[in-house]
CSV table of all heavy atoms in Angstrom, one decimal:
chain,number,residue,atom,x,y,z
A,1,ARG,N,-56.9,65.9,69.9
A,1,ARG,CA,-57.9,64.8,69.8
A,1,ARG,C,-57.2,63.6,69.2
A,1,ARG,O,-57.4,62.4,69.6
A,1,ARG,CB,-59.1,65.2,69.0
A,1,ARG,CG,-60.0,66.1,69.8
A,1,ARG,CD,-61.3,66.4,68.9
A,1,ARG,NE,-61.9,67.5,69.5
A,1,ARG,CZ,-61.9,68.8,69.0
A,1,ARG,NH1,-61.2,69.0,67.9
A,1,ARG,NH2,-62.5,69.8,69.6
A,2,HIS,N,-56.3,63.8,68.2
A,2,HIS,CA,-55.6,62.7,67.6
A,2,HIS,C,-54.6,62.1,68.5
A,2,HIS,O,-54.3,60.9,68.6
A,2,HIS,CB,-54.9,63.2,66.3
A,2,HIS,CG,-55.9,63.4,65.1
A,2,HIS,ND1,-56.5,62.4,64.5
A,2,HIS,CD2,-56.3,64.6,64.6
A,2,HIS,CE1,-57.2,62.9,63.5
A,2,HIS,NE2,-57.2,64.2,63.6
A,3,LEU,N,-53.9,63.0,69.3
A,3,LEU,CA,-53.0,62.5,70.3
A,3,LEU,C,-53.7,61.6,71.3
A,3,LEU,O,-53.2,60.6,71.7
A,3,LEU,CB,-52.3,63.7,71.1
A,3,LEU,CG,-51.4,64.6,70.3
A,3,LEU,CD1,-51.0,65.8,71.2
A,3,LEU,CD2,-50.2,63.9,69.8
A,4,ALA,N,-54.9,62.1,71.7
A,4,ALA,CA,-55.7,61.3,72.7
A,4,ALA,C,-56.1,59.9,72.1
A,4,ALA,O,-56.3,59.0,72.9
A,4,ALA,CB,-56.9,62.1,73.1
A,5,ALA,N,-56.2,59.9,70.8
A,5,ALA,CA,-56.6,58.6,70.1
A,5,ALA,C,-55.4,57.7,70.0
A,5,ALA,O,-55.5,56.6,69.4
A,5,ALA,CB,-57.2,58.9,68.8
A,6,GLY,N,-54.2,58.2,70.4
A,6,GLY,CA,-53.0,57.4,70.3
A,6,GLY,C,-52.3,57.3,69.0
A,6,GLY,O,-51.5,56.4,68.7
A,7,LYS,N,-52.6,58.3,68.1
A,7,LYS,CA,-52.0,58.3,66.8
A,7,LYS,C,-50.6,58.9,66.8
A,7,LYS,O,-50.3,59.7,67.6
A,7,LYS,CB,-52.9,59.1,65.9
A,7,LYS,CG,-54.3,58.5,65.7
A,7,LYS,CD,-55.1,59.3,64.7
A,7,LYS,CE,-56.5,58.6,64.6
A,7,LYS,NZ,-57.4,59.4,63.9
A,8,SER,N,-49.8,58.4,65.9
A,8,SER,CA,-48.4,58.9,65.8
A,8,SER,C,-48.4,60.2,65.1
A,8,SER,O,-49.4,60.6,64.4
A,8,SER,CB,-47.6,57.9,64.9
A,8,SER,OG,-48.0,57.9,63.6
A,9,ASN,N,-47.3,60.9,65.1
A,9,ASN,CA,-47.2,62.2,64.4
A,9,ASN,C,-47.4,62.0,62.9
A,9,ASN,O,-48.1,62.9,62.3
A,9,ASN,CB,-45.8,62.9,64.7
A,9,ASN,CG,-45.7,63.4,66.1
A,9,ASN,OD1,-46.7,63.6,66.8
A,9,ASN,ND2,-44.5,63.6,66.5
A,10,ARG,N,-46.9,61.0,62.4
A,10,ARG,CA,-47.1,60.7,60.9
A,10,ARG,C,-48.6,60.5,60.6
A,10,ARG,O,-49.1,61.0,59.6
A,10,ARG,CB,-46.3,59.5,60.5
A,10,ARG,CG,-46.6,58.9,59.2
A,10,ARG,CD,-46.5,59.8,58.0
A,10,ARG,NE,-45.3,60.6,57.8
A,10,ARG,CZ,-45.2,61.7,57.1
A,10,ARG,NH1,-46.2,62.3,56.5
A,10,ARG,NH2,-44.0,62.3,57.0
A,11,GLN,N,-49.3,59.7,61.4
A,11,GLN,CA,-50.7,59.5,61.2
A,11,GLN,C,-51.5,60.8,61.3
A,11,GLN,O,-52.4,61.0,60.5
A,11,GLN,CB,-51.2,58.5,62.2
A,11,GLN,CG,-50.7,57.0,62.0
A,11,GLN,CD,-51.1,56.1,63.1
A,11,GLN,OE1,-51.0,56.5,64.3
A,11,GLN,NE2,-51.5,54.9,62.8
A,12,ILE,N,-51.2,61.6,62.3
A,12,ILE,CA,-51.9,62.9,62.4
A,12,ILE,C,-51.6,63.8,61.2
A,12,ILE,O,-52.5,64.4,60.7
A,12,ILE,CB,-51.4,63.6,63.8
A,12,ILE,CG1,-51.8,62.7,65.0
A,12,ILE,CG2,-52.0,65.0,63.9
A,12,ILE,CD1,-51.2,63.2,66.3
A,13,ALA,N,-50.4,63.8,60.8
A,13,ALA,CA,-50.0,64.6,59.7
A,13,ALA,C,-50.8,64.2,58.4
A,13,ALA,O,-51.3,65.0,57.7
A,13,ALA,CB,-48.5,64.6,59.4
A,14,ASP,N,-50.8,62.9,58.2
A,14,ASP,CA,-51.5,62.4,57.0
A,14,ASP,C,-53.0,62.7,57.1
A,14,ASP,O,-53.6,63.1,56.1
A,14,ASP,CB,-51.4,60.9,56.9
A,14,ASP,CG,-49.9,60.5,56.5
A,14,ASP,OD1,-49.2,61.4,56.1
A,14,ASP,OD2,-49.6,59.3,56.7
A,15,GLU,N,-53.6,62.6,58.3
A,15,GLU,CA,-55.0,62.8,58.4
A,15,GLU,C,-55.4,64.3,58.3
A,15,GLU,O,-56.4,64.7,57.8
A,15,GLU,CB,-55.6,62.2,59.7
A,15,GLU,CG,-55.6,60.7,59.6
A,15,GLU,CD,-56.4,60.1,60.8
A,15,GLU,OE1,-57.4,60.7,61.2
A,15,GLU,OE2,-56.0,59.0,61.2
A,16,LEU,N,-54.5,65.2,58.8
A,16,LEU,CA,-54.8,66.6,58.7
A,16,LEU,C,-54.2,67.3,57.5
A,16,LEU,O,-54.3,68.5,57.3
A,16,LEU,CB,-54.2,67.3,60.0
A,16,LEU,CG,-54.9,66.8,61.3
A,16,LEU,CD1,-54.3,67.6,62.5
A,16,LEU,CD2,-56.4,67.0,61.3
A,17,VAL,N,-53.5,66.5,56.7
A,17,VAL,CA,-52.8,67.0,55.5
A,17,VAL,C,-51.9,68.1,55.8
A,17,VAL,O,-52.0,69.2,55.2
A,17,VAL,CB,-53.9,67.4,54.4
A,17,VAL,CG1,-53.2,67.5,53.0
A,17,VAL,CG2,-55.0,66.3,54.3
A,18,VAL,N,-51.0,67.9,56.7
A,18,VAL,CA,-49.9,68.8,57.0
A,18,VAL,C,-48.6,68.0,57.2
A,18,VAL,O,-48.6,66.8,57.2
A,18,VAL,CB,-50.2,69.6,58.4
A,18,VAL,CG1,-51.4,70.4,58.2
A,18,VAL,CG2,-50.4,68.6,59.5
A,19,SER,N,-47.5,68.7,57.4
A,19,SER,CA,-46.2,68.0,57.6
A,19,SER,C,-46.1,67.5,59.0
A,19,SER,O,-46.8,68.0,59.9
A,19,SER,CB,-45.1,68.9,57.2
A,19,SER,OG,-44.9,69.9,58.3
A,20,VAL,N,-45.2,66.5,59.2
A,20,VAL,CA,-44.9,66.0,60.5
A,20,VAL,C,-44.4,67.2,61.4
A,20,VAL,O,-44.7,67.3,62.6
A,20,VAL,CB,-43.9,64.8,60.5
A,20,VAL,CG1,-43.5,64.4,61.9
A,20,VAL,CG2,-44.6,63.6,59.8
A,21,GLY,N,-43.6,68.0,60.8
A,21,GLY,CA,-43.0,69.2,61.5
A,21,GLY,C,-44.1,70.1,62.0
A,21,GLY,O,-44.0,70.6,63.1
A,22,THR,N,-45.2,70.3,61.3
A,22,THR,CA,-46.3,71.1,61.7
A,22,THR,C,-47.0,70.4,62.9
A,22,THR,O,-47.4,71.1,63.8
A,22,THR,CB,-47.3,71.3,60.5
A,22,THR,OG1,-46.6,72.0,59.5
A,22,THR,CG2,-48.5,72.1,61.0
A,23,VAL,N,-47.2,69.1,62.8
A,23,VAL,CA,-47.8,68.4,63.9
A,23,VAL,C,-46.9,68.6,65.2
A,23,VAL,O,-47.5,68.9,66.3
A,23,VAL,CB,-48.0,66.9,63.6
A,23,VAL,CG1,-48.4,66.1,64.9
A,23,VAL,CG2,-49.0,66.7,62.5
A,24,LYS,N,-45.6,68.5,65.0
A,24,LYS,CA,-44.7,68.6,66.2
A,24,LYS,C,-44.8,70.1,66.8
A,24,LYS,O,-44.8,70.2,68.0
A,24,LYS,CB,-43.3,68.3,65.8
A,24,LYS,CG,-43.1,66.8,65.6
A,24,LYS,CD,-41.6,66.6,65.2
A,24,LYS,CE,-41.3,65.1,64.9
A,24,LYS,NZ,-39.9,64.9,64.5
A,25,THR,N,-44.9,71.0,65.9
A,25,THR,CA,-45.1,72.4,66.3
A,25,THR,C,-46.4,72.6,67.1
A,25,THR,O,-46.4,73.2,68.2
A,25,THR,CB,-45.0,73.4,65.2
A,25,THR,OG1,-43.7,73.3,64.5
A,25,THR,CG2,-45.2,74.9,65.6
A,26,HIS,N,-47.5,72.1,66.6
A,26,HIS,CA,-48.8,72.2,67.3
A,26,HIS,C,-48.6,71.5,68.6
A,26,HIS,O,-49.1,72.0,69.6
A,26,HIS,CB,-49.9,71.5,66.5
A,26,HIS,CG,-50.3,72.4,65.3
A,26,HIS,ND1,-50.7,73.7,65.4
A,26,HIS,CD2,-50.5,72.0,64.0
A,26,HIS,CE1,-51.0,74.2,64.2
A,26,HIS,NE2,-51.0,73.2,63.3
A,27,ALA,N,-48.0,70.3,68.6
A,27,ALA,CA,-47.9,69.5,69.9
A,27,ALA,C,-47.1,70.3,70.9
A,27,ALA,O,-47.5,70.4,72.1
A,27,ALA,CB,-47.3,68.2,69.6
A,28,ARG,N,-46.0,70.9,70.5
A,28,ARG,CA,-45.2,71.8,71.4
A,28,ARG,C,-46.0,72.9,72.0
A,28,ARG,O,-46.0,73.2,73.2
A,28,ARG,CB,-44.0,72.3,70.7
A,28,ARG,CG,-43.0,73.0,71.6
A,28,ARG,CD,-41.7,73.5,70.9
A,28,ARG,NE,-42.0,74.6,70.1
A,28,ARG,CZ,-42.0,74.6,68.7
A,28,ARG,NH1,-41.6,73.5,68.1
A,28,ARG,NH2,-42.3,75.7,68.1
A,29,HIS,N,-46.8,73.6,71.1
A,29,HIS,CA,-47.7,74.7,71.6
A,29,HIS,C,-48.7,74.1,72.6
A,29,HIS,O,-49.0,74.8,73.6
A,29,HIS,CB,-48.4,75.3,70.5
A,29,HIS,CG,-47.4,76.1,69.6
A,29,HIS,ND1,-47.8,76.5,68.3
A,29,HIS,CD2,-46.2,76.6,69.8
A,29,HIS,CE1,-46.7,77.2,67.8
A,29,HIS,NE2,-45.8,77.2,68.7
A,30,ILE,N,-49.3,73.0,72.3
A,30,ILE,CA,-50.2,72.3,73.2
A,30,ILE,C,-49.6,72.1,74.6
A,30,ILE,O,-50.1,72.4,75.6
A,30,ILE,CB,-50.8,71.0,72.6
A,30,ILE,CG1,-51.7,71.3,71.4
A,30,ILE,CG2,-51.6,70.2,73.7
A,30,ILE,CD1,-52.0,70.1,70.6
A,31,TYR,N,-48.4,71.5,74.6
A,31,TYR,CA,-47.7,71.2,75.8
A,31,TYR,C,-47.4,72.5,76.6
A,31,TYR,O,-47.6,72.5,77.8
A,31,TYR,CB,-46.3,70.5,75.6
A,31,TYR,CG,-46.4,69.2,74.8
A,31,TYR,CD1,-45.3,68.7,74.2
A,31,TYR,CD2,-47.6,68.5,74.6
A,31,TYR,CE1,-45.3,67.5,73.5
A,31,TYR,CE2,-47.6,67.3,73.9
A,31,TYR,CZ,-46.5,66.8,73.3
A,31,TYR,OH,-46.5,65.6,72.6
A,32,GLU,N,-47.0,73.5,75.9
A,32,GLU,CA,-46.7,74.8,76.6
A,32,GLU,C,-48.0,75.4,77.2
A,32,GLU,O,-48.0,75.8,78.4
A,32,GLU,CB,-46.1,75.8,75.6
A,32,GLU,CG,-44.7,75.5,75.2
A,32,GLU,CD,-44.2,76.4,74.0
A,32,GLU,OE1,-45.0,77.2,73.6
A,32,GLU,OE2,-43.1,76.2,73.6
A,33,LYS,N,-49.1,75.3,76.5
A,33,LYS,CA,-50.3,75.9,77.0
A,33,LYS,C,-50.9,75.1,78.1
A,33,LYS,O,-51.6,75.6,79.0
A,33,LYS,CB,-51.3,76.0,75.8
A,33,LYS,CG,-51.0,77.1,74.8
A,33,LYS,CD,-52.0,77.2,73.7
A,33,LYS,CE,-51.6,78.3,72.7
A,33,LYS,NZ,-52.6,78.4,71.6
A,34,LEU,N,-50.7,73.8,78.1
A,34,LEU,CA,-51.2,72.9,79.2
A,34,LEU,C,-50.2,72.7,80.3
A,34,LEU,O,-50.5,72.0,81.3
A,34,LEU,CB,-51.6,71.6,78.6
A,34,LEU,CG,-52.8,71.6,77.6
A,34,LEU,CD1,-53.0,70.2,77.1
A,34,LEU,CD2,-54.0,72.2,78.2
A,35,SER,N,-49.0,73.3,80.2
A,35,SER,CA,-47.9,73.2,81.2
A,35,SER,C,-47.5,71.7,81.4
A,35,SER,O,-47.5,71.3,82.6
A,35,SER,CB,-48.3,73.9,82.5
A,35,SER,OG,-48.6,75.3,82.3
A,36,VAL,N,-47.3,71.0,80.4
A,36,VAL,CA,-46.9,69.6,80.4
A,36,VAL,C,-45.7,69.4,79.5
A,36,VAL,O,-45.3,70.3,78.8
A,36,VAL,CB,-48.0,68.7,80.0
A,36,VAL,CG1,-49.2,68.8,81.0
A,36,VAL,CG2,-48.5,68.9,78.6
A,37,ASN,N,-45.1,68.2,79.6
A,37,ASN,CA,-43.9,67.9,78.9
A,37,ASN,C,-44.0,66.8,77.8
A,37,ASN,O,-43.1,66.6,77.1
A,37,ASN,CB,-42.7,67.5,79.8
A,37,ASN,CG,-42.4,68.6,80.7
A,37,ASN,OD1,-42.2,69.8,80.3
A,37,ASN,ND2,-42.2,68.3,82.0
A,38,ASN,N,-45.2,66.2,77.8
A,38,ASN,CA,-45.3,65.1,76.8
A,38,ASN,C,-46.8,64.8,76.5
A,38,ASN,O,-47.7,65.4,77.1
A,38,ASN,CB,-44.6,63.8,77.3
A,38,ASN,CG,-45.2,63.3,78.6
A,38,ASN,OD1,-46.4,63.1,78.7
A,38,ASN,ND2,-44.4,63.1,79.6
A,39,ARG,N,-47.0,64.0,75.5
A,39,ARG,CA,-48.4,63.8,75.0
A,39,ARG,C,-49.2,63.1,76.0
A,39,ARG,O,-50.4,63.4,76.1
A,39,ARG,CB,-48.4,63.1,73.6
A,39,ARG,CG,-47.9,61.7,73.6
A,39,ARG,CD,-48.0,61.0,72.3
A,39,ARG,NE,-47.3,61.7,71.2
A,39,ARG,CZ,-47.6,61.7,70.0
A,39,ARG,NH1,-48.6,61.0,69.5
A,39,ARG,NH2,-47.0,62.5,69.1
């Protein structure tokens, strides 16, 4: 949902109170599950 809102990894991390690395890991899992390569 944050990706869809156009937020950066840093903005997402700040709002979800996680590290940027965690956001990147979630994004990678999302890409894999949706069979895509980018946000």
Side-chain angles (χ1 to χ4, degrees):
R1 286 184 198 101
H2 286 288
L3 294 175
K7 296 180 181 173
S8 70
N9 289 342
R10 167 53 55 202
Q11 290 170 317
I12 297 169
D14 289 346
E15 290 191 35
L16 298 180
V17 193
V18 296
S19 72
V20 172
T22 298
V23 172
K24 289 179 181 181
T25 298
H26 285 309
R28 188 177 72 249
H29 292 161
I30 292 166
Y31 302 163
E32 289 170 0
K33 290 178 180 182
L34 296 179
S35 300
V36 298
N37 296 316
N38 60 54
R39 66 177 57 208

